[in-house]
Structures are given as C-alpha cells and as structure tokens.
Amino acid sequence: MEKGDLKILNKGEEEEMELQGYRLCRWRLALVGFGVFCTGGFLLLLLYWMPQWCVKSTCTRTTARDAEVVLLRSTIRYFTFHSTKYYWNNEVQNFKIHALWYVGVIHSIKPCSLSSPVRRLFFGVNEIAVKVPSVFKLLIKEVLNPFYIFQLFSVILWSADEYYYYAVAIVFMSVISIATSLYTIKKQYIMLHDMVAAHSVVRVSVCRANNEIEEILSTDLVPGDVMVIPRNGTIMPCDAVLISGTCIVNESMLTGESVPVTKTNLPNPASGQQGEVDDAYNTEEHKRHTLFCGTNVIQTRFYTGELVKAVVICTGFSTAKGQLVRSILYPKPTDFKLYRDAYLFLLCLVAVAGIGFIYSIVLSILNKVPAKTIIIESLDIITITVPPALPAAMTAGIVYAQRRLKHIGIFCISPQRINLCGQINLVCFDKTGTLTEDGLDLWGVQRVENGSFHQSEENAYKENLVKSPFVACMPPCHSLTKIDGQLSGDPLDLKMFEATGWILEEATEEETSLHNRIMPTVVRPPKQLLPPEPVLSAEQDMVCTPSVYEIGIVRQFPFSSALQRMSIVARVLGEKRMDAYMKGAPEAVASLCKKETVPENFAEVLESYTREGFRVIALAHRRLEAKLTWHKVQNIGRDHIESNMEFLGLIIMQNKLKAETPGVLQDLHKANIRTVMVTGDNMLTAISVARDCGMIPPEDKIIIADALHPHDGQAAKITWRYADKPQKPRLEVNHVEEPKTQEMYHFAMNGKSFAVIAEHFPDMLQKLVLHGTVFARMAPDQKTQLIETLQGVDYFVGMCGDGANDCGALKRAHGGISLSELEASVASPFTSRTPNISCVPSLIREGRAALITSFCVFKFMALYSIIQYISVTLLYSILSNLGDFQFLFIDIAIILLIVFTMSLNPAWKELVSRRPPSGLISGPLLFSVLTQILICLSFQTITFLWVRQQPWYTTWTPLTDVCNLSSNQNLSDHNDTEIDEHNIQNFENTSLFYVSSFQYLIVAIVFSKGKPFRQPSYKNWPFVLSVVSLYFFLLFIMFHPVKGIDEFLEFCSNSFIFPLYVFNFISVFTSFIFQGVIDLRAHKCLSWLCCPYKKAPKARYMHLAQELSVDPDWPPKPTTTTEAKPRPDNCSSYQIMIGS
C-alpha cells in the first residue's frame, strides 16, 4: 500500500486544496499527552494555535481512502469543508463535490414513493445553517489569542511583584476589548443568521408515485425530488430546473436587478425537437430554465390539467444562495503588511528583551540576589520590552475613526478594515443604483423612412404614427408582465412601453387554464390616440374588420446578450399575416436589415449619440409570409425570423448619473486612485455610463475583449475590437506625445469573456486588469474573482455596491462599502446611509488618518518600551529599579493618557495623491525610530554617569538612606525608618525618572504626525492639553518638590535638578531637529544610499506595467485574434498566438 498519497481537490479552482490522509497513532498521542503534562498545558495551547502541528504530531500518514475520522474512526465517505460536502468517488479515487446532471436524466426522473433515505443521508438536510456560536465558545477563541495569553502572564507576574494597580488597569482594558470584540462578532453572526433564516423553511409540495402530491418541509428536499411550484408563488428553498410550465421570478437577491425574469421549462431532448441534444446540465447555460434558491417566484403559468414542476438539483450550501453565504462566512484572509511588520517588529523587541533577560540573570547571580527576586525581575524586563497595553493602544485610533465615520453616516462592522482603507488605490463600483439612478429615461426617437433619417423627435405620441411600423414595434417588443395589476420588467422595456402610452392586457389564470396553449399577451393604444373612424353604412359595417386596433404577441425570442437583440412575432387583430419586430444593439440590428433600408449616415448618427453618453436601441420590422401559421411559428428558429428586415429607426435612452458621481470620481482620479466599473448590466450601457461620468475620458480608446470557449477542435480565442472609432485629434496627439500612449486605452469585457480568459489565459488576465475599466454582465462570483485578481497584482481594492449580488465582492475587498442597509450590509464591512458614492473618499480619508495614527501609536509604544527598558537596565546595574508608583505614573498618567489623546487627530480635509506607507519595515520609519532610540539612550546614559560623578554622590547600601545623607542628617536619626530593600530611593533612580518622563512626552510630540493625512496636532486640543499639563506638572515637582508627592513616588533630593532640566532641553531640541531632517530629506537620502541604481517596483501591477510599456504587441490591435495553444510539454499552460 502506498503511504501518504496526495490528492488535489478543486484543481484549478478558487479553493484548490491538497488532501493528505492521516491515521491516529497511539504512541504519538501518549507522547503528546506527556508533553502537555510536562509543559503545564502550554503544548496544548501551541497545538491549538497550530492545527497542522497537532495532526502531524498525533497521526501518521496513510492513503486518503484509509484515513480515519477522529470521531467515527471509520472509512471516510465524505467530509465537510467550509459548509460544502466532498464525497468519495471510487472511479476517480478522489473526493468530489457532487454528481453531474444531464438534461435527459433530469426529464427522465420519476417521482418516488418516498424521499430516498439513502439520498437524504448522502446529501444531508436542505438548509443553509449559519450557526451562531455561544458566547462561551467565542470567549474561549478570543482569549486564546497569543496577545491575551501574554497579558495574562504579565498580570500574574505583576501580582507576584505586588504591582496590583497597573495589573488591574490592564485587566480592565482587556475585558472591555474582549467584550467589544465578542459583541461585534456575535452581532454579525446574528444578522447573517436572520437574513438566511428568513423564508428558509417552508412547506413544499413534492410529486410521489401514482401522481400523489405530498407536502413536506423544505428541509427534507434532496436532489432528484420533483417539486410542484404553487400558483401564488414562493421563495425557492433550493436550486431546481423547470420541466413543465413557466414562472416569473424576481432574482434581485442574486443579481441586484429588481427586474422580473421569465423562466421557461427545460427542453427535453427525448421529444425529438430539432437541435436538442442530451448535453450536460450547466447552471450558466441553462439559467433561463433554473429557479435559484432564495429567489422569489412571483407568478406561474401552466397548461390545462398540468402542474408547474421542477426537479431539485442542489440543496443547502451547494445552491446559489448557499454559495453566496459561503463567500460571506469564509472569505479569503486579507493580508496587510502593517500587521505582518508589526509582528516582525515585536519579534525584534522580544530579542531585545531576551538580551535584557540574560543580562539581569547574570547580574543578579553575580550580586547574590535571592532566587525569587531573580525570577521576577528577569521576567519583568520582558513585560517592559513587549508592552501588554499595545493592543488597546493600537485599537484606540481605530475606535476614534469608527466614531467619526458614524457621525458622517458610515457604519462599520469590521473595525480592523479601517486601516486597510487607508491603502486603497483602486475602487470598483457597481453601476445601477450606485453610479446612476435606478433605470433609464427616454430622451427621444429618430425614425427612418425610405432609407433616410427624420429629425429627432421627443416622443412618438402623434396620432398619425399610431399604426406605423415604428410605433407598432415599441409596445409589443418587450419582456414585460403584469404582477398584481402593475407592469413590471426590464426598466428599458418599461420606459419604452410607457412612452407609447399603450395598454397591455394579459390572460387571467382562469383563461389560461382552459386552453392547451398559453393565451397571448395583447397590446393596444388608448382610444384617444387612435385617429377618428370614418362613418360607414350598415352593409359596410357588417363586412369590415373590427374597429379595435390590437396587436397580439404570438411568440417571443428573448433577449440574448450574445446576439445583442430580441424579437417577437405578432399579429394585428383581424389580419391573416403576421409581423416580426426586432430591437437591440444598433450594429446588430442593422446587420440583419436590407441594406437599402439602412441610412448611409447610420454610423455617423449612431456615433454622435454614443459619444454623448446615450444608450441607443435600434428597431426593425418584417412582414412574414402568409404560409406561416400559428403552429409553424411556434417551431421555427429565430434565424429564419430575424433576417431581411426593414430598418425602422433609433430610440435614444438616457441613463442619468447621480449628481455626486462625476465630482467624486474626479477627486479619486486626482488622488491617483483608479476607478473600475463592475456591473450586471450590459456592455453598451456600462461603457456609455463610464464615458459620461468621466471614468473613461472622451479621447481614450476602449478595446473590447470578446472571448470564446474552445469548440469543434479549436482553441479558446479572444477577438479584439474598438467600442467606437478613435477621434482624429487623438491620433495626432499620439504622434507628438509617444510616452502617453500606454495610458490612453481601456479594456472592457463581459462576464462570459472574463470566465474564458480566467480559465484559458490566466497570465493575460493579470495584464488586462491593469487597464480594465468596464466589466459588464458579471455574475456575483465573478465580481469576487475580479477583486481577487486585482489583489493578486498587489492593488488595494475598494468596492462600492448596493445589491445582494455584491455581497461576496464587498466582503472580499480590502474596503467594501454598501449603499444598501438590506442584504449587502450583512456582508459589507461598511454601510453608508448616504445613497451615493460621496462616502468613498470620506472612508479613504478616515482610513489614511487611522493608518497614520496606527504608525504613530506603534512607534510611540515601541519607544516607550525601549526608553523604559534602558532606564531599568541602567538601574539593574546598581541593583535598583523604578518604584511601583513610578511605574504606575509612567504607564497610566503619561503613556495611556498620551496614547488615547494622540489618536484623536481628525482626517485631513481632502484626498492627496500620496499614499501613506503600508508597512513599518521601511527606510524612513526605521531610521526615525532608531534615531530617537539612540538619542534617548545617549541622554539617559549621560545622565546616569553624570550623577555618579558628582562630589555629593554616595553609593547605596541596604542600611543607608543616601538621599538624606546629603542633607547632613545623622544615620542614627533614621534607625526607625523603613529599610529600602529594593534600592528605589536613590539619585540614579530620580534622575532617570525625570529624564525618561520628558522623553516620553518628546517622542509623543515628534511622532504625532499631521498633514497630509491628518489634521495638525495643535488642533487636537485633548492631546495638547495632556502634553502641556504633564510637562508643567513634571517641571513643578522638579523645581518645587511637594513632600507628599516625593514620598509617593520615592524621589530623592532635588539639589541636582537644574542640570537635568538642561539635559532635557537639549534632548528635546535634538529630537526635533533629527525628526525634521528625517521628514524632509530621509527618503531621498536613504534611497540614494541604499539604491544607487533604479530599483524594480515592489508592487506587481507596477512591474507588469513596466513590462507592457516596452512590449510592441501591447495593447492588442483591433480586428486581431489571440488564441490559446497548449504546449506539448505541459498541457495545462498556454502560449499566445496572435493573428488577424
């Protein structure tokens, strides 16, 4: 048997995993148990933090088939990962998600007498269970964080050293921090649980044997059940495929577009219909026949004696809604350089603490210090060097930023993301409801007669045009339906229909159920729009056709994004011959019309409208042959109908931008922040809006990438074309300014092309996103994939959207902000009450301010630790230390007060083009910290040595009071005083306390940065008041000692205070001078010293941009094709072949 065979799950997909089988090993378990006992449980904590170590230390490798489940200790049949079950497949000897469905198999499914127990056991309960963990579980998980364990260790140590006050303060802050964290996490779980739980359990009707209908709970549904869709609609509890009847469905939960969609039954290949083959069922390909979980079935239509039935395909987390919830529950971890650098910096502090630890032990042993004192003092130096209050200090700036965001209507459920927002350099925007208002407005029409355009008209209400082909095309050529008496459907179709003023009538359920075919929808103009009827004789009245003018829709060919058009077959009441009407993209419609009916200036007129940002729809008409009967029309292909048509004219629609959109995008561009549109709307509308709002300047080219899957033995390929013709002035400018050509183009693509490129051209996808500006018809998972691709080339990505279809992308982005307080707000880290994108710059400004605050606080806390470490190390050399109340004054009165006030600086009033640094490990930051450390070390050392060189200095001994010897008092007078066993009250202690206290204040001022990311520190009055108050308090007790304060802080004689003040003044001056030089010149000097030659950029997108700037074949030329060719040595990689 082969040991340790490696299995790959989800190969090439987002969640690709390696699977390695393990079997529990008794002797290893015993050994680990012994180790846990010997380490007092620390090993158990370590294995909890590192689960992979736990498995490797207690198990041995084995094959995947023979791997043991810890609880069941049996052969693995399936396992659950991120709420998805993976099943063992003997054929491929690996785990798979679910079986493949075929269209023919779906239609051949027969109702069972009972829901199969095997299938139920196999697929489990049909529920999307978002379990809300108990407070106890969340508490255990939170307190086992390494930092809280270190705090617990510090508190125990301080308690042993009778340093209770600061220990209580740290415990108090930790409790508040943990409670706040638990409240936030619990609230998020509850919100998501409530969103998912709504309508999750309903009663459904399922077909059983002998045509019996059984009512069961939706949780009992399993794939393969035949479900009956009720007449009055329902919320779908699973993914199912329609096999009979039609449904009108609201899919806003998935797509974000609140437009009812008509779902038809899946064609049966066994029926022998032309062109139907038994293909594998594909969700994307057959989505017009699929009812997705969580969507709302509004109405159903059915034939005589038949029910609307659907076969259950997916349940639970395998459904579309389940995948959406999974993307919220299990987002990919977001890495941030600041936190990685912070841990690295802490490791450096730990190394410094290790040196002090060894130094204190050696020194104490040489001076024969008691063992208990050695242990406490040596461990204490670790808690000094690595400050336990650091998490609370770092959190302060984020909490203040969160409060400021709340004041401007932005609510945050993930405070740690605020810092990430400070690094955002690219923002993705949804279109509908985010950049634009919801829907389109009709701007005007331009009819065509005899092959030439008329003047543009505001509307088509004129009486003489009512029966014209142009007006007759507008009312019936749509996908509208009536729901509760109200017209509903695509906003574009709705605006077109309303512009005509016509009336739509649909057959009622009673009328439909009486016929073998669904009754046609009828449209007619109101009587006031019809021309007056001539007066007829009685004989003529009996012979003539009815006076009512009605058009019945006989058959509809729905809109196809691939074909960019839709068409219908209709008949006017009383006429024998039928008419075909078509609408769609102007170029697509014109290509199917007779050439003589298309005006010669068609391209110029169309371009004039599109350049102004209008959405243009073309109309066409054709009179069908008399031989085409109603039955023949039902079986004819759309290619036969959509040919040799007559061009009727153009409808000009306007998609109004929100008033704030252009200004916000301009501000982002000025700040060097890229903007990208990612929408579920069609390509032409998206490009039009991108031009209109300034996302794409008028003179820039737009290159559309149309990608096709491999078929008929041909490789996958991309066809490149311009969205519109480039302007002539643009070409002249390019001749003069050659270097700018790389910045003057944008890529646009739809969701299908994105999927093909991601699968077959992964290397090219990274190049495309560098200039990709418009991504249209993107599914929710594709939006998330785009965010991940942009992050893969080192962009810090923001996402702004308003629909449930944006949930995954909002969660995955570094900073996702929802303009909706409904489903999207559950997943989004930020939610804005202001329903426009003006919140985006505000969020980035606050993020930058919070990030700079984090840098300032971290540097200050690091310097605080080092300053105190230097003081304690110097005092250890004379077997002394700082007193408990001295520590308390420094830690609470100075450090905590300064930390919590220096974080109050508000954000700068505007976005600047510079971005704050992303990490602590950078030249200027390290140079700044190291310089201040050297200054502090120098002045403390000079002070320490200077005091010992003074003529009045006396060395401390346990039985002397050196501070009072200088006052010429007899030793015998103090026999009754308490002996200073810890040597706290001495000259070195007092001098170092004063010097270090002033250094804390100096460092706080030096590191408290303002412009260009925060308001200046002098506007932060709590910070200024705190620093000034502490400064004058220290001066006061230096020059005018108060007996009570001196005894409380264990100070010594103040006869040497003035020289200390001089030292402090020089220290302040030196710190400010060095920091000023660093701020002004350090970056250039360090770059010149460390990198005399040009350095390659760190960010991958900048590196790719450099490569592409010297590539003569980039960007791809229009009318060329890029093909993917498998290499002979490695079939999984591709080389690019370009040809015209």
Side-chain angles (χ1 to χ4, degrees):
M1 179 176 64
E2 183 187 357
K3 289 283 184 183
D5 61 330
L6 195 67
K7 299 295 181 183
I8 306 296
L9 303 179
N10 295 338
K11 189 171 184 180
E13 296 181 12
E14 178 185 340
E15 291 185 353
E16 180 174 307
M17 296 172 287
E18 292 182 350
L19 185 137
Q20 176 68 63
Y22 284 90
R23 176 178 290 177
L24 284 171
C25 179
R26 293 183 180 180
W27 68 266
R28 289 193 178 199
L29 278 171
L31 192 62
V32 168
F34 180 73
V36 170
F37 176 78
C38 292
T39 58
F42 179 75
L43 180 59
L44 189 62
L45 270 177
L46 186 63
L47 295 180
Y48 172 82
W49 293 332
M50 308 295 290
Q52 66 272 27
W53 291 8
C54 181
V55 173
K56 291 180 179 179
S57 60
T58 58
C59 303
T60 55
R61 288 187 179 183
T62 184
T63 60
R65 184 182 182 88
D66 296 329
E68 291 182 346
V69 178
V70 177
L71 295 177
L72 300 178
R73 298 184 62 85
S74 61
T75 305
I76 296 176
R77 295 290 182 181
Y78 68 87
F79 68 90
T80 303
F81 176 76
H82 283 180
S83 300
T84 299
K85 287 186 178 179
Y86 294 82
Y87 306 99
W88 178 259
N89 189 309
N90 280 320
E91 294 180 3
V92 297
Q93 289 293 296
N94 202 351
F95 287 89
K96 296 183 69 177
I97 296 179
H98 51 71
L100 190 66
W101 290 91
Y102 282 90
V103 174
V105 173
I106 292 173
H107 276 282
S108 64
I109 288 177
K110 295 181 180 180
C112 303
S113 58
L114 288 172
S115 183
S116 170
V118 176
R119 282 190 290 134
R120 187 177 299 176
L121 179 64
F122 200 65
F123 292 104
V125 178
N126 175 33
E127 63 176 354
I128 303 172
V130 179
K131 296 180 181 178
V132 180
S134 65
V135 174
F136 179 75
K137 285 185 178 180
L138 291 174
L139 178 64
I140 294 299
K141 188 174 181 180
E142 188 74 15
V143 298
L144 289 180
N145 182 292
F147 239 111
Y148 287 123
I149 297 296
F150 177 69
Q151 283 186 339
L152 178 63
F153 162 76
S154 302
V155 167
I156 294 171
L157 181 66
W158 294 331
S159 300
D161 198 24
E162 299 179 356
Y163 185 38
Y164 301 118
Y165 301 99
Y166 190 59
V168 170
I170 289 295
V171 169
F172 178 72
M173 287 190 295
S174 298
V175 168
I176 292 177
S177 176
I178 291 171
T180 305
S181 179
L182 291 184
Y183 173 77
T184 304
I185 295 171
K186 183 89 172 176
K187 185 179 178 182
Q188 289 183 42
Y189 271 108
I190 291 173
M191 287 175 64
L192 184 58
H193 175 270
D194 292 345
M195 184 196 82
V196 173
H199 311 292
S200 61
V201 179
V202 295
R203 296 199 69 85
V204 294
S205 298
V206 178
C207 292
R208 299 302 186 199
N210 302 322
N211 293 325
E212 291 182 2
I213 305 297
E214 179 188 358
E215 277 202 2
I216 62 172
L217 288 175
S218 58
T219 51
D220 294 329
L221 286 173
V222 291
D225 281 344
V226 180
M227 179 182 171
V228 178
I229 311 298
R231 295 182 182 182
N232 57 349
T234 184
I235 302 290
M236 287 299 297
C238 59
D239 285 358
V241 180
L242 269 176
I243 56 174
S244 66
T246 60
C247 293
I248 299 170
V249 185
N250 185 338
E251 293 187 331
S252 60
M253 196 280 296
L254 291 179
T255 64
E257 308 291 335
S258 56
V259 177
V261 179
T262 301
K263 301 284 186 174
T264 59
N265 62 295
L266 183 70
N268 188 355
S271 64
Q273 291 184 19
Q274 185 178 358
E276 294 294 341
V277 294
D278 192 11
D279 293 329
Y281 168 80
N282 181 275
T283 304
E284 183 63 30
E285 184 181 343
H286 297 100
K287 66 181 179 181
R288 288 196 172 273
H289 316 296
T290 306
L291 304 174
F292 294 104
C293 179
T295 58
N296 184 11
V297 178
I298 303 170
Q299 284 183 358
T300 61
R301 293 185 181 180
F302 50 91
Y303 307 126
T304 306
E306 289 194 19
L307 298 172
V308 179
K309 299 177 183 178
V311 174
V312 178
I313 297 294
C314 296
T315 57
F317 278 96
S318 299
T319 62
K321 183 178 179 180
Q323 295 295 330
L324 183 62
V325 175
R326 282 184 71 236
S327 68
I328 299 170
L329 281 175
Y330 311 109
K332 284 190 175 180
T334 302
D335 191 19
F336 191 30
K337 196 170 184 292
L338 169 65
Y339 301 131
R340 282 187 281 115
D341 288 355
Y343 281 114
L344 188 60
F345 203 88
L346 285 174
L347 286 177
C348 295
L349 291 180
V350 169
V352 173
I355 296 171
F357 179 78
I358 296 170
Y359 165 77
S360 64
I361 290 177
V362 172
L363 196 64
S364 299
I365 292 173
L366 291 176
N367 287 279
K368 299 180 180 179
V369 176
K372 180 184 176 182
T373 307
I374 293 176
I375 294 171
I376 291 176
E377 289 189 350
S378 58
L379 291 176
D380 191 44
I381 206 164
I382 296 176
T383 64
I384 290 171
T385 315
V386 184
L390 183 60
M394 294 285 284
T395 304
I398 297 173
V399 170
Y400 296 145
Q402 186 177 4
R403 187 184 301 169
R404 290 194 297 268
L405 286 171
K406 188 175 181 180
H407 285 321
I408 58 176
I410 300 174
F411 298 91
C412 175
I413 62 172
S414 182
Q416 296 302 324
R417 294 290 186 103
I418 297 176
N419 273 345
L420 285 171
C421 292
Q423 279 295 306
I424 287 175
N425 56 1
L426 184 148
V427 183
C428 294
F429 292 98
D430 183 33
K431 184 186 73 68
T432 308
T434 303
L435 297 174
T436 67
E437 303 288 352
D438 292 321
L440 297 165
D441 292 320
L442 180 69
W443 182 84
V445 298
Q446 193 154 7
R447 296 183 294 114
V448 169
E449 284 186 6
N450 301 322
S452 61
F453 279 113
H454 283 263
Q455 290 294 321
S456 60
E457 302 165 276
E458 189 175 342
N459 56 56
Y461 282 164
K462 299 177 183 178
E463 291 183 0
N464 60 332
L465 297 178
V466 170
K467 296 186 178 182
S468 67
F470 184 89
V471 175
C473 181
M474 293 175 67
C477 199
H478 58 68
S479 58
L480 302 177
T481 187
K482 274 194 172 181
I483 299 173
D484 296 330
Q486 295 292 323
L487 272 180
S488 185
D490 187 278
L492 186 145
D493 289 343
L494 200 57
K495 289 290 182 182
M496 281 179 54
F497 188 82
E498 290 173 350
T500 64
W502 284 40
I503 300 167
L504 181 141
E505 294 180 350
E506 286 183 329
T508 63
E509 289 186 5
E510 291 77 12
E511 292 172 334
T512 303
S513 61
L514 295 174
H515 297 79
N516 290 331
R517 301 271 182 181
I518 293 176
M519 291 289 290
T521 300
V522 173
V523 293
R524 59 179 175 83
K527 291 183 179 180
Q528 59 268 27
L529 289 182
L530 290 171
E533 299 174 11
V535 180
L536 301 174
S537 63
E539 292 80 7
Q540 289 175 321
D541 190 36
M542 293 177 65
V543 175
C544 75
T545 57
S547 60
V548 179
Y549 182 68
E550 290 183 349
I551 300 177
I553 302 172
V554 178
R555 190 179 179 192
Q556 183 185 90
F557 297 99
F559 177 81
S560 166
S561 56
L563 301 175
Q564 295 185 329
R565 64 181 185 269
M566 75 163 290
S567 59
I568 63 155
V569 177
R571 178 158 55 186
V572 177
L573 181 64
E575 293 192 9
K576 293 183 178 180
R577 294 179 67 179
M578 300 184 190
D579 297 276
Y581 296 102
M582 179 170 63
K583 74 169 184 184
E587 298 89 342
V589 172
S591 66
L592 299 171
C593 294
K594 299 174 185 177
K595 288 185 178 180
E596 61 271 18
T597 65
V598 180
E600 292 182 0
N601 62 338
F602 165 77
E604 289 78 6
V605 171
L606 176 61
E607 186 176 354
S608 67
Y609 285 124
T610 55
R611 285 196 181 280
E612 292 179 24
F614 290 111
R615 169 80 187 277
V616 184
I617 306 296
L619 303 181
H621 164 258
R622 174 187 164 197
R623 189 80 164 163
L624 296 179
E625 301 85 355
K627 64 180 182 180
L628 283 177
T629 62
W630 193 94
H631 293 281
K632 288 183 178 179
V633 166
Q634 300 305 316
N635 297 309
I636 199 169
R638 71 186 297 169
D639 292 339
H640 181 80
I641 298 293
E642 297 171 343
S643 60
N644 293 322
M645 306 198 76
E646 295 182 3
F647 194 79
L648 295 178
L650 303 174
I651 299 175
I652 300 96
M653 310 292 291
Q654 188 177 25
N655 195 187
K656 287 186 179 179
L657 290 170
K658 290 184 177 179
E660 301 81 7
T661 297
V664 171
L665 293 181
Q666 187 177 8
D667 290 343
L668 293 176
H669 291 164
K670 286 180 181 178
N672 288 335
I673 297 174
R674 265 190 68 193
T675 53
V676 172
M677 184 188 298
V678 49
T679 176
D681 211 336
N682 67 60
M683 176 79 75
L684 295 175
T685 303
I687 290 175
S688 170
V689 171
R691 289 275 198 202
D692 203 21
C693 67
M695 192 176 285
I696 300 177
E699 68 276 7
D700 286 12
K701 295 178 182 177
I702 301 175
I703 304 172
I704 296 178
D706 290 323
L708 296 174
H709 279 286
H711 63 93
D712 300 333
Q714 297 182 353
K717 63 181 180 180
I718 308 172
T719 303
W720 310 95
R721 60 185 175 91
Y722 283 139
D724 46 28
K725 292 184 179 178
Q727 296 178 0
K728 291 181 180 179
R730 163 74 193 276
L731 296 176
E732 294 172 6
V733 172
N734 281 353
H735 270 302
V736 179
E737 300 183 19
E738 192 69 27
K740 290 189 178 180
T741 56
Q742 295 298 325
E743 300 296 329
M744 308 285 276
Y745 64 90
H746 303 259
F747 290 109
M749 68 187 75
N750 58 26
K752 287 186 177 178
S753 297
F754 180 84
V756 173
I757 295 171
E759 182 179 355
H760 299 283
F761 303 86
D763 294 335
M764 179 172 284
L765 182 61
Q766 292 191 338
K767 298 176 182 178
L768 289 175
V769 297
L770 291 185
H771 289 275
T773 304
V774 176
F775 296 85
R777 294 294 184 200
M778 297 286 279
D781 60 323
Q782 289 178 327
K783 291 184 178 184
T784 307
Q785 190 178 354
L786 173 63
I787 298 292
E788 291 172 356
T789 304
L790 290 166
Q791 291 172 338
V793 291
D794 297 337
Y795 277 112
F796 283 86
V797 185
M799 173 71 193
C800 183
D802 68 333
N805 61 320
D806 299 318
C807 285
L810 289 168
K811 187 79 171 180
R812 184 68 189 99
H814 292 105
I817 181 165
S818 167
L819 304 186
S820 165
E821 296 186 30
L822 301 177
E823 296 97 335
S825 64
V826 177
S828 178
F830 303 94
T831 302
S832 173
R833 278 188 177 174
T834 307
N836 58 64
I837 64 171
S838 61
C839 57
V840 174
S842 301
L843 177 62
I844 296 175
R845 285 191 298 106
E846 288 296 346
R848 290 181 173 185
L851 183 58
I852 290 299
T853 299
S854 295
F855 283 128
C856 295
V857 169
F858 194 92
K859 290 194 295 182
F860 173 70
M861 292 299 288
L863 260 294
Y864 145 66
S865 299
I866 295 299
I867 291 170
Q868 199 167 82
Y869 172 82
I870 294 169
S871 301
V872 171
T873 304
L874 289 171
L875 291 174
Y876 273 10
S877 66
I878 59 168
L879 300 180
S880 181
N881 199 353
L882 292 173
D884 286 350
F885 291 106
Q886 289 177 342
F887 274 123
L888 192 67
F889 178 81
I890 292 171
D891 292 342
I892 293 180
I894 296 181
I895 302 305
L896 291 185
L897 185 61
I898 292 298
V899 161
F900 290 136
T901 55
M902 76 184 298
S903 304
L904 287 170
N905 289 41
W908 188 244
K909 55 190 174 183
E910 61 185 25
L911 278 177
V912 296
S913 56
R914 273 179 58 197
R915 279 194 304 143
S918 60
L920 289 165
I921 312 300
S922 63
L925 283 173
L926 286 179
F927 191 56
S928 170
V929 171
L930 291 174
T931 304
Q932 295 300 328
I933 289 174
L934 289 175
I935 292 171
C936 294
L937 174 64
S938 301
F939 280 93
Q940 284 204 49
T941 306
I942 291 171
T943 301
F944 181 79
L945 296 176
W946 176 81
V947 168
R948 295 175 67 85
Q949 296 299 321
Q950 298 308 303
W952 39 260
Y953 174 79
T954 305
T955 305
W956 174 88
T957 63
L959 297 177
T960 61
D961 186 355
V962 297
C963 291
N964 291 324
L965 284 177
S966 60
S967 301
N968 298 320
Q969 294 185 0
N970 294 326
L971 194 65
S972 60
D973 295 338
H974 295 276
N975 288 337
D976 298 332
T977 61
E978 184 179 348
I979 297 175
D980 186 8
E981 295 179 355
H982 298 288
N983 186 15
I984 302 299
Q985 201 168 6
N986 56 61
F987 296 115
E988 293 93 333
N989 172 288
T990 304
S991 58
L992 288 180
F993 174 84
Y994 279 125
V995 170
S996 63
S997 295
F998 280 108
Q999 285 179 342
Y1000 298 133
L1001 299 179
I1002 295 164
V1003 168
I1005 297 170
V1006 165
F1007 284 160
S1008 185
K1009 277 184 171 284
K1011 191 177 178 181
F1013 304 114
R1014 301 197 307 168
Q1015 296 284 353
S1017 293
Y1018 62 80
K1019 290 188 177 182
N1020 181 0
W1021 66 264
F1023 174 70
V1024 173
L1025 183 63
S1026 300
V1027 171
V1028 171
S1029 300
L1030 286 168
Y1031 188 82
F1032 280 105
F1033 175 76
L1034 289 170
L1035 284 180
F1036 175 76
I1037 62 175
M1038 278 178 67
F1039 290 103
H1040 298 281
V1042 178
K1043 184 178 180 182
I1045 296 176
D1046 285 356
E1047 290 177 355
F1048 181 76
L1049 295 177
E1050 301 179 80
F1051 283 161
C1052 204
S1053 170
N1054 61 351
S1055 59
F1056 55 97
I1057 292 303
F1058 185 75
L1060 290 182
Y1061 179 72
V1062 174
F1063 287 155
N1064 286 325
F1065 180 79
I1066 297 172
S1067 175
V1068 170
F1069 182 77
T1070 307
S1071 294
F1072 274 107
I1073 291 295
F1074 272 90
Q1075 189 62 36
V1077 171
I1078 291 168
D1079 289 341
L1080 292 174
R1081 299 291 179 185
H1083 184 69
K1084 292 181 180 179
C1085 294
L1086 287 173
S1087 300
W1088 181 78
L1089 289 171
C1090 303
C1091 313
Y1093 302 103
K1094 193 171 181 180
K1095 188 178 177 182
K1098 290 183 179 179
R1100 182 162 173 73
Y1101 70 88
M1102 298 176 70
H1103 182 70
L1104 283 171
Q1106 281 188 354
E1107 289 181 356
L1108 295 177
S1109 65
V1110 295
D1111 187 348
D1113 295 325
W1114 193 265
K1117 304 297 184 293
T1119 71
T1120 61
T1121 301
T1122 302
E1123 291 188 358
K1125 281 279 186 182
R1127 295 177 181 173
D1129 57 335
N1130 186 357
C1131 294
S1132 62
S1133 57
Y1134 292 84
Q1135 58 184 356
I1136 307 302
M1137 305 293 292
I1138 300 179
S1140 299

